[in-house]
Amino acid sequence: MTAMPLRSLPPAHRPLADALALGPALLERARSSAAPWIAASLVEGPAVVLGAAQRAGRVVDLSACAARGAPVLRRATTGTAAFLGGRGVVWTLALPHVAALAPDATARTLLNRNVRGFLRGFARAGAPAHYFGREWISLQHRPAALLGVDAAQDGAVLLEVLAGHDAPPAIPAELAAPDERAVDRWRGKAPAALAEVVPARVSPEALAGAVIEAVALHAGLPLADGGEAPELALARFQPITAPDDPVPPGAGAVVLARVPIGWIEAAAAAAVDGAPARAWLGGDVLTARWLLDALGRGASPASLDASPASLDASPASLDASPASLDASPASLDASPASLDASPASLDASPASLDASPASLDAEAAPLDGARLDDLRALVQRALSAGRAPER
């Protein structure tokens, strides 16, 4: 049986808000077509792109960003913030289920398995790429591309990769809030702009296309033209002006806790009509937004209590051997065989979309950078610290 193709939108210049809104739109297309979708957007900064669950004022100084002319926007995927200092690329990959490109992928390994095609694409463009777990891809041994992820309970997955061409993805110190400056996001390494690690002959447009082609090649899927871009819902992707965004209005005091990826935070939500106490829960973790919502509501099904869903013990917990590509081909036209020092390390068997969708429950939900116990404990701290008044 012929595998369903990976449908793509060709690389295109888009306003940053449009590029971010493309994620939910392609996720809906992936659901409705039962096929994976990919796109690349060429964007312009300066701007800061927050993860879906990061509180703005804990990450950046909004006044300093405004003075710099760098709007702060929020993407649909969780994880940490990226800075776009000039030209940049946002890749959007939407999957109908976690195993749509890699047959052995699960919700717990979805980043590790699905990042491999991106590694191959960067390598084909002349930048050896590695992924050692968590939230960034290394090019030429320097952090250069940031990852964001979201997953729905029906198993659909959204993955975003953001990289700056003219400036590294790290938020400049003068724009960062004190809590953000306290975190070593890059494990002691100096982040890189694409222009520093990709050969000068490779334009952002060429790199964007090379990565799309490599994702399809790595999955063993044909690449098909996706036609016209979808209609975009832009309201939620406008610049942020409130430091507490996205904490709900009327919430109690925000409490924070350090975790391996940075910070998690929570606040008691305002009680409504005698409803059970609940909390807003957010932070830097890479996880499903529905899981944060469920924990904030105090959900404690057996699946949540079975065992902590933790992927933070070490990068190796994501995979026995890091996904990496060490080849550095001389040109974009290099033979694919020259990129695979050990083909077996890449998924040899084509990714078939006939695999049964892996729907997600709380026990299997993706979670990297904190444990379920950490998140539950912070919710309880927030509820104890100060319940918001009823309204």
Side-chain angles (χ1 to χ4, degrees):
M1 181 178 294
T2 303
M4 188 173 291
L6 172 60
R7 301 188 182 278
S8 72
L9 300 179
H13 291 267
R14 295 184 176 92
L16 182 55
D18 289 31
L20 300 179
L22 194 58
L26 289 189
L27 189 61
E28 187 54 40
R29 280 198 174 181
R31 277 199 184 96
S32 61
S33 64
W37 283 76
I38 191 168
S41 300
L42 302 157
V43 298
E44 296 278 348
V48 175
V49 181
L50 298 176
Q54 290 185 298
R55 184 169 56 90
R58 198 259 308 157
V59 180
V60 293
D61 181 331
L62 288 172
S63 296
C65 290
R68 170 87 176 256
V72 179
L73 291 83
R74 186 181 303 285
R75 62 182 189 265
T77 52
T78 59
T80 59
F83 178 67
L84 296 171
R87 291 174 296 170
V89 186
V90 178
W91 285 274
T92 306
L93 177 65
L95 308 176
H97 58 86
V98 295
L101 296 187
D104 64 341
T106 67
R108 301 292 299 280
T109 63
L110 71 86
L111 274 176
N112 181 276
R113 297 303 189 268
N114 287 298
V115 81
R116 295 176 179 182
F118 289 90
L119 302 184
R120 186 168 189 168
F122 288 125
R124 285 169 64 84
H130 300 78
Y131 175 67
F132 298 109
R134 204 140 294 159
E135 79 274 33
W136 46 264
I137 291 171
S138 173
L139 302 182
Q140 304 279 16
H141 307 291
R142 294 176 62 185
L146 195 81
L147 299 170
V149 69
D150 194 21
Q153 284 185 277
D154 64 6
V157 170
L158 177 62
L159 176 66
E160 292 177 306
V161 180
L162 301 89
H165 183 271
D166 302 317
I171 300 173
E174 64 271 19
L175 302 185
D179 287 329
E180 183 67 17
R181 293 198 298 269
V183 178
D184 177 12
R185 293 266 174 231
W186 315 104
R187 304 176 201 167
K189 298 181 181 292
L194 292 175
E196 298 177 87
V197 291
V198 174
R201 60 180 171 73
V202 181
S203 68
E205 293 82 357
L207 177 64
V211 168
I212 287 177
E213 292 172 2
V215 170
L217 181 65
H218 179 71
L221 297 179
L223 194 61
D225 184 355
E228 293 186 4
E231 184 175 345
L232 303 176
L234 295 173
R236 62 187 275 206
F237 300 101
Q238 300 308 304
I240 293 167
T241 57
D244 278 340
D245 185 289
V247 181
V254 175
V255 296
L256 288 85
R258 279 297 305 267
V259 288
I261 200 170
W263 296 98
I264 52 175
E265 46 194 338
V272 180
D273 298 330
R278 61 155 295 162
W280 169 82
L281 179 61
D284 299 331
V285 292
L286 289 153
T287 190
R289 286 181 294 150
W290 67 261
L291 178 61
L292 296 176
D293 290 342
L295 291 169
R297 291 194 303 271
S300 56
S303 60
L304 278 174
D305 296 326
S307 62
S310 173
L311 295 178
D312 66 34
S314 68
S317 66
L318 292 173
D319 200 341
S321 59
S324 67
L325 291 173
D326 294 314
S328 45
S331 73
L332 285 172
D333 297 323
S335 162
S338 68
L339 299 174
D340 300 327
S342 75
S345 67
L346 304 174
D347 297 330
S349 58
S352 170
L353 290 176
D354 297 327
S356 57
S359 60
L360 303 181
D361 58 25
E363 184 177 359
L367 177 60
D368 190 8
R371 301 176 304 156
L372 276 173
D373 281 351
D374 297 329
L375 299 171
R376 282 197 297 263
L378 192 63
V379 166
Q380 293 306 311
R381 278 183 53 197
L383 294 174
S384 300
R387 301 180 188 277
E390 286 205 23
R391 56 179 173 85

